[in-house]
Amino acid sequence: MCGRFALIITPAELEKIFGLRLDEEFNPRYNIAPSQTVPVITYLEKDNKKKLSSMKWGLVPSWAKDPSIGDRMINARSETIQEKPSFRSAFQRRRALIPASGFFEWKREGTTKNPYFIGMKEMKTFAFAGLWERWVHDNNFLETFTILTTEANELVRPIHDRMPVIMPESVYDIWLYPSTDISQIIPLLAPYPENKMQAYPISKLVNNPKNDGPEILERVG
């Protein structure tokens, strides 16, 4: 699973990279946890345009009676995405990109689990593949997202057997547009090439989501 990630660029840099305006304030984040709100890129069919807006991490399906279901839906396995009622509709019509600077996984070493930071070489900003939903209740609405996962590549596998699906920049529009045929989407749900990535051990400061500073990303060992 992917249960923690970072996005450490400024709003201006974020807008420049993705060519979109952010509709809410955002500060660089070193330790993003489930239920928190982060920038997400979607495609709005009715407006025929892409949008960069803030959403809560943890998908709440439109039919859910209780929004707390989102606490259990921070990830969606790409292998079963078309079978699960919670994700099937969003996969067809509401795909998203979640900007990131890297993510965290924990490797079991002896009797402990030690955290690692995993991202692109040179700390290049990238995007996870995600799904989004709008939940409406009593004239209030909540926009939420989940991150898709796949089997780990050779870099991540010694740390964890799963990793988030990372979208190459060249297929951002293919992924986002609802009109894209699903036969074009399925091949995109593959492990990202390990030769473009890096991974290194960090301190256990990341274990507490209240810790959210640059020291989180410092290499240890």
Side-chain angles (χ1 to χ4, degrees):
M1 64 180 292
C2 174
R4 210 74 66 81
F5 69 98
L7 180 59
I8 55 174
I9 60 176
T10 66
E13 291 170 324
L14 187 65
E15 291 171 345
K16 182 178 180 180
I17 290 172
F18 292 99
L20 297 166
R21 294 286 298 175
L22 182 59
D23 64 3
E24 295 182 26
E25 290 295 320
F26 172 78
N27 294 317
R29 298 288 311 282
Y30 295 85
N31 193 10
I32 297 167
S35 82
Q36 296 178 353
T37 300
V38 296
V40 174
I41 300 167
T42 60
Y43 180 80
L44 304 180
E45 281 190 279
K46 64 182 180 68
D47 298 325
N48 192 31
K49 67 177 184 180
K50 290 179 285 188
K51 183 180 181 182
L52 179 62
S53 56
S54 296
M55 294 188 181
K56 184 178 179 181
W57 186 9
L59 192 82
V60 180
S62 60
W63 44 260
K65 295 182 179 180
D66 186 346
S68 66
I69 191 176
D71 297 340
R72 306 190 302 274
M73 300 177 68
I74 64 170
N75 290 158
R77 291 179 66 94
S78 60
E79 296 90 342
T80 58
I81 199 72
Q82 298 186 83
E83 305 167 13
K84 302 292 185 180
S86 299
F87 304 123
R88 190 165 51 214
S89 176
F91 180 61
Q92 294 282 340
R93 310 298 301 176
R94 290 177 296 280
R95 296 183 292 271
L97 294 169
I98 298 91
S101 301
F103 60 98
F104 306 97
E105 282 297 353
W106 282 257
K107 180 180 181 180
R108 182 172 293 281
E109 297 174 313
T111 59
T112 64
K113 286 187 175 181
N114 295 315
Y116 282 72
F117 176 77
I118 305 165
M120 298 297 138
K121 292 178 178 178
E122 301 177 356
M123 293 295 290
K124 182 180 179 181
T125 301
F126 60 93
F128 299 130
L131 309 175
W132 73 280
E133 284 277 14
R134 172 177 282 197
W135 183 81
V136 181
H137 183 72
D138 292 340
N139 296 319
N140 295 314
F141 74 91
L142 179 66
E143 291 185 329
T144 61
F145 72 94
T146 188
I147 295 173
L148 273 63
T149 65
T150 186
E151 61 182 11
N153 62 23
E154 292 297 325
L155 176 74
V156 178
R157 190 172 297 120
I159 303 169
H160 198 277
D161 63 355
R162 303 288 295 176
M163 68 179 290
V165 175
I166 296 172
M167 284 287 119
E169 187 175 351
S170 60
V171 300
Y172 283 176
D173 288 351
I174 293 174
W175 172 254
L176 286 175
Y177 290 167
S179 59
T180 302
D181 192 273
I182 293 300
S183 64
Q184 293 181 267
I185 295 294
I186 298 300
L188 304 180
L189 305 177
Y192 197 78
E194 60 271 7
N195 62 348
K196 297 182 180 181
M197 300 179 68
Q198 64 172 333
Y200 60 83
I202 58 173
S203 79
K204 292 183 179 179
L205 285 172
V206 70
N207 292 2
N208 186 342
K210 292 182 179 179
N211 296 327
D212 191 14
E215 64 278 3
I216 293 284
L217 303 187
E218 291 180 5
R219 183 188 296 262
V220 300

